[in-house]
Amino acid sequence: MNNIVEMQHICKKFGEVTVLKDFNLNLREGEKVVIIGPSGSGKSTVLRCINCLEPIQGGKIIFEGQELTQKTDLSALRRKIGMVFQHFNLFPHKTVLENIIEAPVIVKKTLKAEAKKLAMVLLERVGLADKCDSYPKELSGGQKQRVAIARALAMNPQIMLFDEPTSALDPELVGEVLSVMKRLAEDGMTMILVTHEMAFAKEVADRVLFMDQGVIVEEGTPKDIFENPRHKRTQVFLQRILH
């Protein structure tokens, strides 16, 4: 299996604060990696660096064998990397269908009729075909997030990045989003997820990384991390979260 993403010795600073210190991560095609850890540990920053939403101050990121540099064509890169954020980021003045076809039509120059057909297939997949003509304000948080996932999938990405996709949702809406993500995982999508949903992490992850203060403290299978964490910091974090 080839590495689709390699992060080598990444240093990321915000002003004087170092958020990622000598950070290393490899992701193989088809792999599901879940990143857990306390707030402020740098988890979301890892995703934003992969997508070039944040410039790095040291190290290198290699995507599909190519190093990402300032000369990288970002729009071409982002066609291959789907990202789902905490706060949906849907266009409020566009319908659900229009939100989904926007990028394929504008960025990929897909014909509108073709983009609509694909959008309806994706809405079916996330259980929202009946909401195609609704506006975001008419949807629940869980529905908005499912539309955001369909929108990311419309670009047919090689990899999906999920940045705490359920943390802004009411608890009773979390399950509907997780079930969509679980189906994606079962379909073989390469994924990196930042989440606080530990039961979900146990179920879908091939590997779990525990981060604290900008470094990976411990990594392993879900069984290793959740049932037999070796590092004191991991143990303390999981005790707080799971009890």
Side-chain angles (χ1 to χ4, degrees):
M1 288 289 239
N2 298 335
N3 284 333
I4 193 164
V5 175
E6 294 175 47
M7 300 180 84
Q8 301 175 354
H9 308 294
I10 301 300
C11 171
K12 169 66 195 165
K13 297 183 176 193
F14 290 114
E16 295 299 299
V17 181
T18 302
V19 185
L20 298 177
K21 306 165 194 164
D22 194 24
F23 184 88
N24 296 281
L25 169 66
N26 289 341
L27 179 74
R28 291 187 301 282
E29 217 170 308
E31 196 178 18
K32 287 92 188 124
V33 170
V34 172
I35 306 178
I36 62 171
S39 294
S41 56
K43 307 183 299 291
S44 296
T45 305
V46 170
L47 301 188
R48 295 176 69 82
C49 289
I50 293 171
N51 212 359
C52 293
L53 290 170
E54 293 291 350
I56 55 174
Q57 280 70 52
K60 56 184 173 182
I61 300 174
I62 296 164
F63 180 75
E64 294 190 321
Q66 301 286 311
E67 186 180 347
L68 305 184
T69 64
Q70 276 150 341
K71 294 193 179 76
T72 300
D73 176 349
L74 290 184
S75 67
L77 173 76
R78 290 186 187 136
R79 274 175 233 176
K80 296 179 173 185
I81 302 178
M83 185 147 177
V84 176
F85 300 87
Q86 221 171 326
H87 293 293
F88 332 125
N89 297 359
L90 299 175
F91 297 116
H93 59 291
K94 290 182 184 288
T95 65
V96 163
L97 190 67
E98 288 165 345
N99 263 285
I100 294 171
I101 68 171
E102 172 98 350
V105 168
I106 289 175
V107 180
K108 276 184 145 176
K109 306 286 183 264
T110 305
L111 292 173
K112 213 169 199 178
E114 207 178 300
K116 281 183 175 173
K117 210 190 291 181
L118 170 66
M120 290 310 295
V121 168
L122 292 170
L123 282 171
E124 194 71 55
R125 197 169 164 190
V126 299
L128 289 172
D130 59 329
K131 298 290 184 190
C132 61
D133 296 323
S134 303
Y135 286 87
K137 68 172 186 298
E138 299 165 333
L139 305 178
S140 70
Q143 289 170 332
K144 285 180 198 168
Q145 195 58 294
R146 285 189 279 155
V147 172
I149 293 171
R151 181 181 58 180
L153 291 172
M155 294 299 279
N156 194 21
Q158 261 89 327
I159 168 177
M160 286 283 280
L161 308 176
F162 290 92
D163 188 7
E164 301 199 19
T166 57
S167 64
L169 302 180
D170 293 334
E172 70 271 20
L173 302 176
V174 168
E176 64 189 62
V177 174
L178 294 181
S179 69
V180 168
M181 290 162 61
K182 185 165 174 260
R183 284 202 301 278
L184 271 185
E186 287 164 355
D187 291 345
M189 175 62 79
T190 309
M191 296 159 80
I192 305 182
L193 303 110
V194 170
T195 186
H196 292 295
E197 302 292 336
M198 298 300 153
F200 181 72
K202 276 183 203 176
E203 212 176 335
V204 303
D206 297 308
R207 254 191 310 154
V208 177
L209 314 182
F210 172 68
M211 274 185 79
D212 196 14
Q213 298 181 344
V215 296
I216 296 172
V217 175
E218 188 170 348
E219 69 175 287
T221 64
K223 196 171 168 56
D224 295 336
I225 298 297
F226 292 112
E227 293 177 25
N228 196 16
R230 295 186 308 280
H231 203 288
K232 185 81 180 122
R233 266 145 86 193
T234 318
Q235 292 163 4
V236 169
F237 173 77
L238 289 173
Q239 269 163 1
R240 270 214 315 270
I241 289 271
L242 298 173
H243 297 297

